[in-house]
Amino acid sequence: MLTHLSIQNFAVVKNISLSLAEGMSAITGETGAGKSIGIDALSLCIGGRADANMVRSGAAKAEIIAHFDINNRTKVQQWLVEHELDDEGECFIRRVISAEGRSKAFINGIPVSLQQLKQLGAFLISIHGQNAHQSLLKDSVQRQLLDNFAEHPELVTQTQSAYKVLNEAQSRFEYLQSQAQAREDRVQLLSYQVSELDEFGLGDTEFESLEIEHKRLSNSQALLEETQHSYARLYDDDEFNALSAIQQSVDSLQDLCDSDPALEPIVSLLNEAAIQVKEAATELRAYNEDLDVDPAEIAEVQARFDKVNELARKHQVMPEMLYSHHMTLAQELSDIHNASDELEDMQTRLDKLKADYNQAAQRLSESRQAHAIELAAAIETQIQRMNMPHATLSIDVAFSPEKRSALGSDDVTFLIATNPGQKADSLDKVVSGGELARIGLAMHVIASNNGAIPTLIFDEVDTGISGPTASIVGQLLRTMGKHAQVLCVTHLPQVAAQAHNQLFVTKQVTGNNTETQILNLSADDRISELARLLAGDKVTESALSNARSLLENVAQ
């Protein structure tokens, strides 16, 4: 619960330090005094939007600090530990707003994001404004109220998980379906292309070998003639050949070596040259004899070489890339066939996931239907106490298998009849604003019993209520104070009298300076304030007597 609130330079507040107690605390004051300022400050502490206009005129910054007692608040303690914000069981929130509109947030002195502030705030405080009951008209809010009352989060989670998996599978299935025709058209083209390339059967490195063979055979006649001529020039020409010329030089110079030994190295080189020429001639003759110019082979190689180039041009790739292109097309064709198989498998999986979702949604619906009877009876009891004695309320839970959402397949509708003989219908068609406020308050009373949120704040939720009904509303708020800390801004003495504690908001104007203060009222001060609420600015002895009577009746 909220134990202490400190506000500095916020709106018309200069400095307020306020300790808060358990039970119900009523907040009263004159119109325009700023009774809602504390609520606005707390709203910032749980992630509300900050604005430069919130900073008191002339101040550099506004600061709000809220301290909470989190003993026995397991969820809060776990959250703080998970986010490494735990400080030996302490929990205080600090929000600072600069005059320029910049905002900073701290939990236990550690800077945090606005999202973290909202997450923690949801465990600590629930604020209900003057028109909050209008949200009861929304189907989504009615469903959420029922789920909160039923306390079946595991069923909601199971349904959400089943829906998420189903939705993802459905999206994949629809994508595969949308691509089915495009895949079919692509399959026809790929099947033809891959079949043609399969039939040709080009090997992985065949083109490189084919290119070399094509060059050789294309120039086979020139190779044959030139090797024959070279062989003759080196060895076989009768008029002149290189080997004979070298041999003659060796013979001539050999005789002169006795005259000059310096010629011996030269003769040795010429002998080696003669050997090399003879070996080269022998190799040329063997190459020439093996060179088989087969017109049929030339035609075959030429045809295959031309076909490679033709297919390469057709597929707009380089000839040396034709094989890898063939493999790419074959893989794409295989992938498309796999996608078709996936579509068939996905249909089977989708049917199972739909069945899983329907089962989870059915369990959730059954729980809602069972708890709807209990919740309707509880609300009916409370609103009948608030000057709606003939009101009857029921909650319709309509399960529609064809309707799927993360929150189930139910349409939840609150149906009410406020007068005897009146046909029950939805809230928006039957109840007035005041009646809707009472129904909303009844829901808060019921919800407070589970103690999920320690501090409940109501900002003039009793608007439109007066007389005996106001006394009942006050009693209900007091009852809520047994299970949670209740702070209620009110202008009704019947409501304020029911509070365990009372705070008074006062505004002082000095020249151009306005300052708001919040005071804890003593027992005598409460009598005076209740008398003011009863009689207005002119407090009479009769009003004071009535005020005492209100408090005494509560005490009894």
Side-chain angles (χ1 to χ4, degrees), residues 70-339:
I70 58 172
N71 288 325
N72 302 319
R73 293 292 162 184
T74 305
K75 289 184 178 180
V76 176
Q77 294 170 358
Q78 288 178 344
W79 190 92
L80 290 171
V81 170
E82 288 172 4
H83 291 80
E84 298 181 350
L85 297 168
D86 182 47
D87 186 15
E88 297 181 356
E90 289 289 324
C91 181
F92 69 93
I93 296 174
R94 176 172 170 250
R95 190 85 185 267
V96 179
I97 308 162
S98 72
E100 294 77 24
R102 293 188 296 272
S103 169
K104 294 180 181 179
F106 305 84
I107 296 175
N108 288 336
I110 301 173
V112 296
S113 66
L114 199 61
Q115 184 63 31
Q116 288 176 305
L117 208 57
K118 289 179 179 179
Q119 290 176 2
L120 178 60
F123 294 122
L124 297 171
I125 297 177
S126 178
I127 299 176
H128 308 279
Q130 297 180 32
N131 298 312
H133 54 272
Q134 293 293 332
S135 65
L136 283 174
L137 300 177
K138 298 179 181 179
D139 293 342
S140 59
V141 173
Q142 294 177 13
R143 185 195 59 242
Q144 186 62 53
L145 288 172
L146 177 56
D147 285 341
N148 291 343
F149 177 80
E151 295 184 329
H152 49 206
E154 69 287 345
L155 295 179
V156 175
T157 300
Q158 289 168 10
T159 303
Q160 289 174 334
S161 298
Y163 178 78
K164 180 181 178 182
V165 174
L166 173 60
N167 195 44
E168 290 174 350
Q170 184 71 44
S171 297
R172 177 62 179 170
F173 180 74
E174 290 173 358
Y175 171 77
L176 293 173
Q177 276 190 319
S178 68
Q179 298 297 312
Q181 185 57 53
R183 287 198 305 274
E184 184 60 33
D185 295 340
R186 183 65 174 161
V187 163
Q188 293 182 10
L189 175 62
L190 287 174
S191 296
Y192 168 76
Q193 292 177 328
V194 173
S195 176
E196 183 181 43
L197 292 170
D198 284 344
E199 184 178 351
F200 183 66
L202 182 69
D204 186 3
T205 59
E206 181 184 352
F207 177 75
E208 289 78 2
S209 302
L210 185 63
E211 189 174 32
I212 294 171
E213 184 67 7
H214 177 263
K215 287 181 180 179
R216 186 182 71 81
L217 293 176
S218 296
N219 295 281
S220 59
Q221 189 61 40
L223 290 171
L224 182 63
E225 292 175 357
E226 186 55 40
T227 54
Q228 288 175 344
H229 292 159
S230 294
Y231 176 73
R233 285 193 294 270
L234 290 175
Y235 186 80
D236 200 36
D237 193 317
D238 292 336
E239 294 182 3
F240 176 82
N241 63 72
L243 183 61
S244 297
I246 293 172
Q247 193 60 54
Q248 288 176 6
S249 296
V250 168
D251 293 342
S252 300
L253 293 172
Q254 185 69 50
D255 293 339
L256 296 173
C257 285
D258 292 337
S259 302
D260 187 355
L263 291 174
E264 289 182 359
I266 297 173
V267 172
S268 177
L269 288 173
L270 287 173
N271 280 324
E272 291 177 5
I275 294 172
Q276 294 292 331
V277 168
K278 188 174 181 179
E279 288 181 359
T282 302
E283 291 292 332
L284 274 174
R285 183 174 63 185
Y287 175 84
N288 185 266
E289 291 174 352
D290 290 339
L291 191 60
D292 185 11
V293 183
D294 184 354
E297 182 183 2
I298 294 175
E300 181 182 345
V301 171
Q302 184 66 51
R304 191 161 180 80
F305 184 77
D306 291 344
K307 186 64 176 179
V308 170
N309 283 280
E310 176 190 341
L311 290 171
R313 285 192 298 272
K314 186 175 182 179
H315 289 271
Q316 299 182 341
V317 297
M318 297 298 291
E320 58 268 26
M321 298 300 296
L322 185 61
Y323 175 81
S324 62
H325 179 66
H326 176 196
M327 295 300 102
T328 299
L329 294 181
Q331 184 61 51
E332 183 182 355
L333 183 59
S334 174
D335 291 343
I336 291 178
H337 286 314
N338 291 338

Side-chain angles (χ1 to χ4, degrees), residues 88 90 211 358 379 391 410 516 526:
E88 297 181 356
E90 289 289 324
E211 189 174 32
N358 289 338
I379 297 174
D410 294 319
T516 292
R526 286 192 69 183

Side-chain angles (χ1 to χ4, degrees), residues 486-502:
V486 176
L487 304 178
C488 176
V489 175
T490 182
H491 61 280
L492 298 178
Q494 296 92 334
V495 173
Q498 294 289 337
H500 300 92
N501 318 286
Q502 189 167 345

Side-chain angles (χ1 to χ4, degrees), residues 355-487:
D356 292 343
Y357 171 83
N358 289 338
Q359 188 177 31
Q362 180 70 51
R363 288 196 299 266
L364 177 60
S365 181
E366 290 171 356
S367 178
R368 283 172 174 164
Q369 291 170 27
H371 287 91
I373 298 172
E374 298 177 34
L375 178 59
I379 297 174
E380 187 176 285
T381 299
Q382 296 295 345
I383 61 177
Q384 285 177 354
R385 294 180 58 194
M386 291 185 283
N387 202 25
M388 295 176 68
H390 304 295
T392 58
L393 186 137
S394 62
I395 301 174
D396 180 57
V397 180
F399 179 74
S400 303
E402 67 281 357
K403 176 185 176 181
R404 298 188 183 94
S405 76
L407 297 171
S409 300
D410 294 319
D411 289 316
V412 177
T413 308
F414 283 32
L415 302 173
I416 190 170
T418 56
N419 298 303
Q422 180 184 33
K423 182 181 178 181
D425 208 336
S426 57
L427 299 181
D428 60 324
K429 295 179 180 178
V430 177
V431 298
S432 64
E435 289 171 333
L436 186 61
R438 278 173 263 181
I439 295 171
L441 185 57
M443 282 301 312
H444 294 314
V445 172
I446 295 166
S448 69
N449 291 336
N450 63 19
I453 300 177
T455 300
L456 304 175
I457 300 176
F458 298 93
D459 187 6
E460 296 193 20
V461 294
D462 49 15
T463 300
I465 297 172
S466 60
T469 305
S471 181
I472 297 298
V473 168
Q475 291 173 23
L476 290 175
L477 290 171
R478 185 179 179 88
T479 300
M480 293 171 65
K482 296 178 181 179
H483 307 285
Q485 181 185 44
V486 176
L487 304 178

